[in-house]
Amino acid sequence: MATLDKDLLAIQEMRDAVRHANIAQAAYMQFSQQQVDNIVKAVADAAFKEAERLANMAVQETGMGIPNHKKMKNEVASRDVYEDIKDLKTVGVVGFDRMKKVTEIASPFGVIAGIVPTTNPTSTAIFKTLISLKTRNGLVLSPHPYAVNCTKEALEICRVAAEKAGAPEGLLHCLTMSSMEATQQLMKHPDIHLILATGGGALVKAAYSSGKPAYGVGPGNVPAYIEKSANISKSVRQLVQSKSFDNGTICATEQSIIVDKVIAEQVLTELKKNNAYILSDEEKVKMEKLISPVPGKVNPQIVGKSAACLADSVGITVPEDTKVLVGMETMIGKNIPFSLEKLSPIFALYTVEDSTEAKQVMIDLLNIGGRGHSCSLHTENTALAEQFSIDLPVSRIVVNTLSSIGAVGGTTGLAPSFTLGCGTFGGNITSDNITARHLLNIKRMAYGIKDVEVPKPEFLVQPVVETIKAQDPTLDTAVVQQIVDQVLKQITLQNK
């Protein structure tokens, strides 16, 4: 018996998933706000309950991150996202302006293709499921090849809970055969109505090139500036906590520290107190080769690995409790490994004369990767924070907090989200933290509130006479004028 080609099987699985999701979504369109909200709550509760088990599965399958940190991500993706969207109206009339007599009506997109990264495979799946269900959309997830099982399990927990709460069968799907061809065809499928892409640059580009509406997000290369007025001990503690959180796998995690020269020694002392290891020049060269064996490209093998593991892999001896590795840097560029987005607990540290130089260093870092994403400021100077926010080409400026958790809404008032838009700075359609409101069409019914009088057409006689004379110069001008006047008089009588 002939064995079917793996890609063909994957494509058939994808087509079946899209077909079933569309059938179920058509039924889900008829659900009331109360029915939808009951389903969303049931799914959020189920996912929150399984946060720890899913975290362990993710670390075991991908080899990335820290279990109890991934548990926190799962909790944010379930509980915090739910709390943020629970009161949002997404069914029927959702707004009415009495003065302008405009009624707003919510309508779902249809079926969404969700691309899920290997760095946050379960939390992203939970998040995309909740915001899709809240807006009466169907969902087909395409997991990363290295995270198929944990992503599938996260979706399965959500699916079972949703169907128990009354959701139509077939509304939620996860592809299981990890085929790039199937993912590409999913994004171009005529019955997919929106792409929600969280992942590498190539996949996001593919989403935007699919011909479909798409929310894609760019990479982060988050610079963090410790300005001289900052609370240094608190700032450094937060930076180390943020960078070591889940071994640096969140795209909003700080990648480089920029420090005013006058406080540089204090910052280095605090870094050491907080279990940071400052690399020697010799050790830094070894780490550079690990970060970027091919110039301009980050080694995927370092992503989500611990500081001790990374150091050991290049023969550097560090204390067992080391949380982050720090390399002193002066240069910025695609071929400068420490200045790239490393998605691991490795910091570059730049020393600057003042805030003017700091701002330029941050812009230069963002320009080689990360434009539009996020930046971090540690300062007590509110005017400076506001000016940096105005001047920097980023969509999120987090101040005096952990960027990794703050940018996704964990320690700030930003909308809890695992898909962070980079705006046109980074080639994205939105600079928002993507949430349920981004998955709705808003229709508007508008009554006439102003009366207008449409003026009658005005005929300019002279041009008409001149045109006729030009065609036959022998005609008498007075006769032509008389004929035109009679015609206009008849038109006027007919229009009354």
Side-chain angles (χ1 to χ4, degrees):
M1 184 177 173
T3 305
L4 286 172
D5 180 87
K6 183 174 177 287
D7 270 343
L8 290 176
L9 287 170
I11 290 166
Q12 189 58 53
E13 178 193 40
M14 178 273 294
R15 288 174 178 165
D16 289 343
V18 173
R19 181 167 55 84
H20 290 139
N22 271 276
I23 293 168
Q25 194 272 329
Y28 196 39
M29 283 270 290
Q30 310 307 315
F31 278 44
S32 68
Q33 187 73 69
Q34 187 60 57
Q35 288 174 304
V36 166
D37 290 348
N38 289 342
I39 290 166
V40 171
K41 184 174 191 314
V43 170
D45 288 346
F48 183 82
K49 188 177 177 184
E50 296 286 1
E52 184 172 3
R53 181 170 71 87
L54 288 172
N56 291 330
M57 280 187 72
V59 173
Q60 188 173 0
E61 185 175 3
T62 65
M64 296 178 185
I66 300 168
N68 61 336
H69 292 184
K70 286 206 182 293
K71 180 190 176 197
M72 279 180 66
K73 287 183 183 180
N74 292 336
E75 289 173 345
V76 170
S78 51
R79 178 191 56 205
D80 290 17
V81 169
Y82 171 74
E83 289 297 326
D84 185 59
I85 67 174
K86 67 179 182 181
D87 296 325
L88 182 68
K89 286 185 177 181
T90 58
V91 179
V93 174
V94 296
F96 179 59
D97 187 323
R98 292 186 182 279
M99 291 290 292
K100 294 182 178 178
K101 294 187 76 174
V102 174
T103 302
E104 293 183 335
I105 300 156
S107 181
F109 282 1
V111 175
I112 293 167
I115 313 301
V116 181
T118 184
T119 46
N120 305 300
T122 55
S123 51
T124 305
I126 295 164
F127 160 70
K128 291 186 177 178
T129 300
L130 283 177
I131 63 173
S132 296
L133 287 172
K134 178 68 177 179
T135 47
R136 294 182 297 162
N137 290 296
L139 178 67
V140 178
L141 289 181
S142 178
H144 191 280
Y146 298 160
V148 173
N149 293 330
C150 61
T151 302
K152 180 176 178 288
E153 183 61 17
L155 193 280
E156 187 64 10
I157 288 163
C158 295
R159 183 193 67 77
V160 170
E163 290 179 7
K164 276 187 180 175
E169 287 185 21
L171 193 61
L172 306 173
H173 294 268
C174 180
L175 305 184
T176 63
M177 306 194 74
S178 62
S179 158
M180 182 57 76
E181 178 64 24
T183 299
Q184 298 278 5
Q185 288 203 27
L186 170 69
M187 292 192 287
K188 293 179 179 179
H189 196 290
D191 291 329
I192 286 293
H193 305 98
L194 176 80
I195 302 166
L196 199 50
T198 314
L203 261 178
V204 171
K205 264 187 186 171
Y208 278 125
S209 304
S210 67
K212 299 281 184 181
Y215 289 120
V217 296
N221 189 26
V222 179
Y225 176 36
I226 307 179
E227 190 261 340
K228 61 181 181 289
S229 70
N231 180 327
I232 296 171
S233 61
K234 181 182 177 184
S235 300
V236 172
R237 184 174 70 252
Q238 288 181 335
L239 280 165
V240 172
Q241 286 177 337
S242 184
K243 187 63 166 167
S244 58
F245 180 73
D246 204 30
N247 287 338
T249 53
I250 294 181
C251 57
T253 300
E254 303 90 337
Q255 301 296 326
S256 302
I257 304 172
I258 298 97
V259 187
D260 280 343
K261 190 176 182 180
V262 294
I263 59 169
E265 285 303 318
Q266 289 173 269
V267 168
L268 285 170
T269 299
E270 289 298 324
L271 281 167
K272 291 170 187 174
K273 280 185 190 176
N274 283 274
N275 305 103
Y277 182 83
I278 314 300
L279 299 164
S280 69
D281 291 345
E282 215 174 272
E283 291 169 335
K284 179 171 171 275
V285 171
K286 289 182 180 179
M287 194 55 61
E288 285 171 341
K289 290 174 182 174
L290 177 66
I291 293 168
S292 186
V294 178
K297 293 187 177 178
V298 173
N299 178 4
Q301 297 302 314
I302 70 169
V303 176
K305 300 297 192 295
S306 70
C309 173
L310 293 168
D312 185 61
S313 67
V314 292
I316 299 172
T317 303
V318 300
E320 284 184 15
D321 59 357
T322 298
K323 290 183 177 179
V324 298
L325 307 172
V326 180
M328 305 297 290
E329 190 54 87
T330 57
M331 295 186 292
I332 297 168
K334 290 278 190 184
N335 61 337
I336 309 298
F338 271 81
S339 68
L340 302 174
E341 182 191 30
K342 299 166 285 293
L343 291 176
S344 55
I346 304 171
F347 266 132
L349 193 146
Y350 295 86
T351 302
V352 295
E353 290 293 333
D354 53 25
S355 62
T356 301
E357 187 183 353
K359 189 190 299 180
Q360 190 56 55
V361 169
M362 295 175 90
I363 290 170
D364 291 345
L365 286 164
L366 290 164
N367 283 342
I368 64 164
R371 273 182 69 87
H373 204 291
S374 307
C375 78
S376 166
L377 299 175
H378 291 269
T379 179
E380 296 303 312
N381 186 335
T382 55
L384 179 139
E386 187 172 306
Q387 193 58 52
F388 268 54
S389 300
I390 291 167
D391 294 343
L392 289 169
V394 289
S395 303
R396 277 157 293 277
I397 301 92
V398 296
V399 184
N400 296 337
T401 189
L402 296 74
S403 181
S404 58
I405 305 175
V408 302
T411 62
T412 64
L414 297 173
S417 176
F418 285 79
T419 301
L420 309 182
C422 297
T424 55
F425 306 112
N428 297 169
I429 193 62
T430 181
S431 55
D432 292 344
N433 283 17
I434 301 296
T435 184
R437 65 185 176 85
H438 295 90
L439 306 187
L440 285 172
N441 289 306
I442 301 297
K443 303 188 285 187
R444 290 170 179 86
M445 178 177 69
Y447 282 81
I449 58 171
K450 304 169 192 171
D451 289 326
V452 295
E453 189 70 37
V454 178
K456 293 172 184 177
E458 291 183 0
F459 293 95
L460 297 177
V461 175
Q462 195 57 38
V464 175
V465 173
E466 288 173 358
T467 302
I468 295 170
K469 284 282 287 179
Q471 291 172 355
D472 189 350
T474 63
L475 291 171
D476 184 87
T477 301
V479 173
V480 174
Q481 183 77 49
Q482 190 178 12
I483 293 168
V484 171
D485 288 343
Q486 287 175 353
V487 171
L488 289 175
K489 189 176 181 181
Q490 288 178 350
I491 292 171
T492 303
L493 288 170
Q494 287 171 2
N495 287 338
K496 282 186 176 179

